[in-house]
Amino acid sequence: MVYADNWLPPFSSPSDPTRVIDWSKCGLFIPEYKLRHTVDMLRDMNDKVICEMQKCSLAFWDEFASSREGWLRGILRWVNTDPGIVRETN
């Protein structure tokens, strides 16, 4: 659960927020002005959705966040999937 306005999650960009990981499947992003509605939002969530978000978050941790190598892997994946970067092919 993230309380933040205008926050950009790791390995995403405003033009392509799901380039490396689809954060909407990993967590609940709540605008700061809705802070007091958190309990209601959580109660309204389906147990299956919560379980899938937990799996997604754990997969992110295991693949990217748990080590320096993982962070580098995520950065390289982000860069290598950027359509704005021109690559020469031989």
Side-chain angles (χ1 to χ4, degrees):
M1 184 175 331
V2 176
Y3 297 101
D5 295 331
N6 302 316
W7 179 70
L8 191 59
F11 311 127
S12 59
S13 70
S15 62
D16 189 3
T18 62
R19 185 182 303 170
V20 175
I21 186 166
D22 185 349
W23 286 103
S24 67
K25 294 180 179 179
C26 292
L28 187 59
F29 295 86
I30 301 173
E32 292 172 3
Y33 76 93
K34 290 188 175 184
L35 176 66
R36 63 182 161 180
H37 302 288
T38 303
V39 173
D40 294 330
M41 287 185 211
L42 291 173
R43 284 185 181 143
D44 291 342
M45 289 182 70
N46 180 304
D47 288 344
K48 184 176 179 181
V49 171
I50 293 170
C51 185
E52 291 302 315
M53 285 181 167
Q54 290 171 335
K55 288 179 187 177
C56 181
S57 297
L58 183 58
F60 171 76
W61 172 260
D62 287 343
E63 188 169 355
F64 302 112
S66 64
S67 68
R68 289 181 182 168
E69 292 83 4
W71 280 103
L72 180 59
R73 183 181 317 114
I75 291 167
L76 292 174
R77 188 174 299 169
W78 186 85
V79 168
N80 288 328
T81 57
D82 184 346
I85 295 177
V86 177
R87 294 181 192 88
E88 291 183 28
T89 56
N90 293 330

